[in-house]
Amino acid sequence: MQHQKLKPFPGNFFWGASTSAYQVEGAWDKDGKGPSVIDMAPVVPGTTDFKVTSDHYHHYKEDVKLFAELGLKAYRFSIAWTRIFPHGTGAINPLGVAFYNNLINELKAHNIEPIITIYHFDLPYALQQKGGWSNRATVDAFAFYCETLFELYGDRVKYWLTINEQNMMILHGDAIGTKSVSGDNPLKDLYQQNHHMLLAQAKAMKTCHELLPHAKIGPAPNISAIYPASSKPEDMLAASNCSSIRNWLYLDMVVYGRYNNIAWSFLEERGATPDIQEGDMEIMASAKPDFIAFNYYSTQTVAASSGDASDVGSTGDQQIVVGEVGVYKGASNPNLKKNDFGWEIDPIGFRNTLRDIYERYALPLIVTENGLGAFDKVEADGSIDDGYRINYLQQHIEQIQLAISDGVDVFGYCPWSAIDLVSTHQGCSKRYGFIHVNRDEFDLKDMKRSKKKSFFWYQNLIAHNGA
């Protein structure tokens, strides 16, 4: 659809940026914090660990001041479960509570809206030792953790995200460092974990609405439009299969309280349907999100299954594994350019994704991750010309405005990331931030913060509300 005149961004649009606790805070064992599964996971050879990262824990005041200078209206960050409950349950850690109190107060003092992700990959290791998400007791531990956060911070925090990229933890947990399955049918165990997370999310939403009637809460999966490799009906069917397993399984449950029929059929075929206890579906049907948050980096293209191992491949960093034997086959999209990490760059696919989600669910949308990782170069004068990042973000922001003109209700955009941090599986050399942090993989240097060219570009864009 071509618009003669584009609709402007809403006047109260949340121009923001994002981080996660384990990727930016550092101080992994300071002030009573317990270990998470990320802390205990093997480190990718040749990359740094998550022990210091950007040391935001000790630099948060300086960082928030820079966020304010950038002009951020919102800051999406996560709370480390093990800062609040070092063992996942039991005694609360007052020093961890104080850190987030101070961070939230600092954000509010600079008129930046805190958007809190409750859980971003970093399950307490003590709970993992008891079975992690395979153990139904983790559902209750998560529910109590959420209730504690609402009581501690709900007087100042209006926007909450439940679980970051639950679908990626299920589909790509090996790469993230969160996957742990057991039993004779690992896939069944994995989707039992998924069921428990969906149930935990529903309980969190219900509790939030009960305790904080003026707050808003929603999920934060990674969603992307799925393209068929051709107009062949078999490829169209494969794309539908992939969309259901990758995207709609998660959003159908959170919005409608039911399992997507195609995804359920896939699980039946594999003997991997989860065990559902009495009352589970009623809880999930009664929990209603106020909005949908989602992360977007790239689209995905699939073809009809060949029925063998050739179905499974990789199309780069954002699609580490693509394909499911007998269901769909991973394919490359010849119409898209790729970046240095093999990502297929698809700004128009962003518009497609926004439209798909809104047309299906009719809930307000906020983008909680979108960005470009790159090997930024610091020039002799200290400047960082990351024009490639500006180009990427500009192209995607243009597509948001087109989606808004299509009638999609989008109320915020929080690209990844506010400041340089440690990538999930590629260390700190791969940078995303508007703000540079002076450190290398194994040399912490002075951790000095400096502004990239994209900082000044985004600052100007925010000042003009995207115009």
Side-chain angles (χ1 to χ4, degrees):
M1 184 184 302
Q2 295 181 343
H3 297 283
Q4 296 299 315
K5 184 178 181 181
L6 296 180
K7 294 178 182 177
F9 286 92
N12 58 351
F13 192 79
F14 278 156
W15 294 105
S18 294
T19 64
S20 81
Y22 80 89
Q23 291 173 275
V24 77
E25 285 179 5
W28 76 285
D29 62 348
K30 297 293 191 294
D31 293 341
K33 180 184 176 295
S36 74
V37 294
I38 298 291
D39 296 322
M40 304 304 289
V43 179
V44 176
T47 69
T48 187
D49 54 30
F50 297 97
K51 293 180 178 178
V52 179
T53 62
S54 302
D55 200 26
H56 177 67
Y57 188 79
H58 296 110
H59 291 259
Y60 75 90
K61 286 191 176 183
E62 175 188 358
D63 293 342
V64 171
K65 186 177 180 181
L66 283 166
F67 299 164
E69 185 181 346
L70 179 57
L72 296 188
K73 307 298 183 186
Y75 173 50
R76 179 248 180 168
F77 63 98
S78 72
I79 287 180
W81 189 339
T82 54
R83 280 206 199 282
I84 306 300
F85 293 107
H87 303 290
T89 58
I92 200 168
N93 175 26
L95 293 178
V97 170
F99 170 71
Y100 293 111
N101 255 324
N102 293 336
L103 175 58
I104 291 166
N105 288 341
E106 197 72 17
L107 291 166
K108 299 294 281 187
H110 287 85
N111 298 313
I112 299 172
E113 191 75 37
I115 299 175
I116 289 183
T117 309
I118 295 169
Y119 173 54
H120 193 126
F121 299 163
D122 48 356
L123 183 73
Y125 186 65
L127 295 184
Q128 185 60 56
Q129 290 179 300
K130 298 176 182 177
W133 285 108
S134 299
N135 184 349
R136 194 177 170 95
T138 300
V139 176
D140 294 329
F142 181 79
F144 184 71
Y145 163 57
C146 292
E147 183 177 344
T148 302
L149 296 188
F150 298 148
E151 291 174 345
L152 287 170
Y153 309 122
D155 59 326
R156 286 153 290 159
V157 178
K158 183 179 178 181
Y159 294 90
W160 299 86
L161 311 177
T162 52
I163 298 175
N164 178 76
E165 293 191 349
Q166 179 177 333
N167 53 341
M168 297 298 99
M169 284 190 278
I170 298 302
L171 296 169
H172 302 310
D174 286 329
I176 297 170
T178 59
K179 188 174 182 179
S180 177
V181 292
S182 58
D184 297 331
N185 188 340
L187 191 67
K188 181 176 176 64
D189 183 34
L190 187 64
Y191 278 90
Q192 189 66 53
Q193 294 176 26
N194 188 56
H195 179 75
H196 288 158
M197 277 192 265
L198 292 170
L199 180 62
Q201 173 173 254
K203 288 188 173 187
M205 292 193 297
K206 284 174 65 68
T207 301
C208 182
H209 288 140
E210 290 166 3
L211 295 181
L212 307 173
H214 301 297
K216 298 180 184 297
I217 189 168
N222 181 307
I223 304 296
S224 70
I226 309 297
Y227 298 146
S230 77
S231 58
K232 288 170 53 179
E234 295 87 349
D235 290 350
M236 297 289 289
L237 193 62
S240 175
N241 290 340
C242 183
S243 290
S244 293
I245 294 168
R246 188 196 189 283
N247 298 326
W248 311 139
L249 163 61
Y250 302 89
L251 289 179
D252 281 5
M253 181 58 80
V254 73
V255 178
Y256 301 134
R258 56 173 167 77
Y259 272 99
N260 176 276
N261 62 293
I262 302 300
W264 188 260
S265 176
F266 160 72
L267 294 177
E268 285 182 322
E269 183 71 22
R270 297 291 198 272
T273 55
D275 297 325
I276 301 173
Q277 292 192 12
E278 184 177 352
D280 285 1
M281 300 310 296
E282 288 76 10
I283 290 172
M284 290 193 276
S286 65
K288 302 297 182 184
D290 299 292
F291 59 85
I292 293 172
F294 76 102
N295 303 343
Y296 173 89
Y297 291 93
S298 181
T299 48
Q300 193 167 310
T301 301
V302 300
S305 166
S306 298
D308 56 36
S310 69
D311 282 350
V312 181
S314 175
T315 56
D317 182 51
Q318 271 299 311
Q319 312 292 356
I320 296 166
V321 178
V322 180
E324 186 69 47
V325 176
V327 185
Y328 58 89
K329 182 175 186 172
S332 293
N333 191 331
N335 302 298
L336 300 176
K337 295 180 180 179
K338 294 184 178 182
N339 73 356
D340 293 339
F341 297 94
W343 298 12
E344 293 178 339
I345 306 299
D346 189 4
I348 295 174
F350 190 24
R351 181 184 182 186
N352 287 333
T353 303
L354 286 156
R355 286 162 52 124
D356 285 351
I357 299 171
Y358 191 71
E359 188 172 35
R360 191 176 180 99
Y361 303 108
L363 284 171
L365 306 180
I366 180 170
V367 180
T368 41
E369 287 185 30
N370 173 240
L372 182 70
F375 296 122
D376 295 339
K377 180 183 178 183
V378 181
E379 303 295 343
D381 63 358
S383 65
I384 302 158
D385 185 355
D386 58 341
Y388 39 83
R389 181 169 292 111
I390 294 171
N391 185 52
Y392 176 95
L393 294 173
Q394 180 66 60
Q395 289 178 352
H396 285 75
I397 289 169
E398 287 171 356
Q399 294 300 319
I400 298 176
Q401 188 170 11
L402 285 164
I404 290 172
S405 300
D406 293 333
V408 179
D409 182 358
V410 189
F411 69 93
Y413 177 68
C414 297
W416 190 263
S417 56
I419 187 170
D420 283 347
L421 34 68
V422 177
S423 173
T424 302
H425 53 277
Q426 291 174 319
C428 70
S429 299
K430 179 185 181 185
R431 298 174 181 269
Y432 286 87
F434 295 108
I435 299 165
H436 179 268
V437 177
N438 187 37
R439 64 156 294 181
D440 291 335
E441 294 292 347
F442 304 106
D443 183 355
L444 295 178
K445 298 186 176 180
D446 60 3
M447 308 290 280
K448 180 183 176 183
R449 275 63 168 148
S450 57
K451 304 163 195 172
K452 303 178 189 179
K453 186 175 181 180
S454 60
F455 180 102
F456 300 103
W457 167 82
Y458 196 45
Q459 180 187 57
N460 182 64
L461 182 137
I462 294 172
H464 293 88
N465 197 33

